[in-house]
Amino acid sequence: GNSVTQMEGPVTLSEEAFLTINCTYTATGYPSLFWYVQYPGEGLQLLLKATKADDKGSNKGFEATYRKETTSFHLEKGSVQVSDSAVYFCALISGSARQLTFGSGTQLTVLP
Amino acid sequence: DAGVIQSPRHEVTEMGQEVTLRCKLISGHNSLFWYRQTMMRGLELLIYFNNNVPIDDSGMPEDRFSAKMPNASFSTLKIQPSEPRDSAVYFCASSFYRGTTDRPATNEKLFFGSGTQLSVL
């Protein structure tokens, strides 16, 4: 079956620090990969996605590259802001599944 | 558009009581998902519907849980009787599903509601 493994949090960084949140997956076929973000008190929102190997998804300064050889989709941002504090979820769709499989989420806190 | 609307935002109830959570889809969307979020298990898909039809309810924990779509824009998730281990945040999400029986597609971009925080004492 499909599964997503994220680095465990919480992650605490100072403003303008570099961010990496690791995500690896197992899937049947060729999955599409996603990062969702959940701000405090809100539902999840799609942050970025990549649908084939070597694609790079990007949005709001965040990037993630679909690495088929390492089955990874790590999220990066060069300079985080306090407003980036949220929970980040890696997710995939693959095979006959019609719905997203989510990772466990990583809590990010950015301090001023 | 107001987005996916869930109610109530918070629900506190006693063990054994019936709980009903409500969700209004985004206008024009035809897929509806119910998720449960806890610290221990993260996000779990409970059930989802395409065009008012339940497609996969394998995530529904037990018979105490039931979900319905009485019309194309509204859904309820009912827990009867509720138990303390049901305490969680319940999210509803919707999307526009373009697939058909002959040409299935995937539900990629979900729009989530703000969730219902359920506490069963």
Side-chain angles (χ1 to χ4, degrees):
Chain A
N2 299 334
S3 68
V4 177
T5 302
Q6 288 183 235
M7 69 183 279
E8 291 190 11
V11 174
T12 302
L13 296 173
S14 298
E15 205 164 23
E16 299 184 2
F18 183 85
L19 168 71
T20 300
I21 300 178
N22 290 340
C23 171
T24 57
Y25 65 88
T26 56
T28 55
Y30 298 95
S32 293
L33 303 173
F34 307 84
W35 278 99
Y36 275 77
V37 58
Q38 182 182 25
Y39 297 104
E42 298 182 11
L44 281 71
Q45 304 172 27
L46 178 64
L47 179 61
L48 54 85
K49 72 175 187 180
T51 56
K52 60 182 187 295
D54 300 325
D55 268 3
K56 178 185 284 187
S58 61
N59 186 25
K60 299 181 181 180
F62 290 89
E63 294 182 340
T65 301
Y66 188 142
R67 300 287 187 201
K68 188 169 181 292
E69 63 277 14
T70 55
T71 62
S72 65
F73 193 55
H74 305 323
L75 182 68
E76 296 181 337
K77 186 173 186 181
S79 176
V80 294
Q81 305 301 312
V82 173
S83 57
D84 295 327
S85 298
V87 181
Y88 292 82
F89 292 87
C90 187
L92 67 83
I93 286 180
S94 183
S96 60
R98 297 286 177 263
Q99 71 283 349
L100 290 158
T101 298
F102 285 95
S104 57
T106 302
Q107 171 78 56
L108 170 66
T109 301
V110 181
L111 302 176
Chain B
D1 197 315
V4 175
I5 299 173
Q6 290 187 245
S7 64
R9 284 299 303 271
H10 303 277
E11 176 80 28
V12 180
T13 190
E14 292 184 345
M15 183 175 64
Q17 297 298 306
E18 176 182 302
V19 174
T20 299
L21 311 182
R22 296 174 175 81
C23 175
K24 184 177 185 299
L25 284 68
I26 290 174
S27 178
H29 281 188
N30 59 358
S31 285
L32 182 283
F33 302 76
W34 282 104
Y35 283 89
R36 178 171 67 178
Q37 185 179 38
T38 61
M39 288 292 293
M40 291 296 293
R41 296 186 297 272
L43 266 174
E44 302 172 279
L45 177 64
L46 301 178
I47 184 172
Y48 80 99
F49 298 79
N50 281 344
N51 299 313
N52 295 16
V53 176
I55 303 300
D56 184 353
D57 65 354
S58 59
M60 296 286 262
E62 47 198 272
D63 291 346
R64 299 184 296 107
F65 285 68
S66 62
K68 294 181 180 179
M69 284 196 74
N71 58 58
S73 61
F74 184 74
S75 178
T76 60
L77 177 67
K78 185 177 293 186
I79 309 173
Q80 180 185 24
S82 58
E83 297 182 3
R85 60 194 168 115
D86 301 330
S87 298
V89 180
Y90 290 81
F91 287 102
C92 167
S94 74
S95 71
F96 180 63
Y97 175 70
R98 294 177 174 80
T100 64
T101 302
D102 295 328
R103 297 189 62 185
T106 58
N107 282 293
E108 295 185 351
K109 187 169 184 179
L110 302 187
F111 292 80
F112 282 77
S114 298
T116 295
Q117 173 81 58
L118 173 64
S119 298
V120 183
L121 307 177

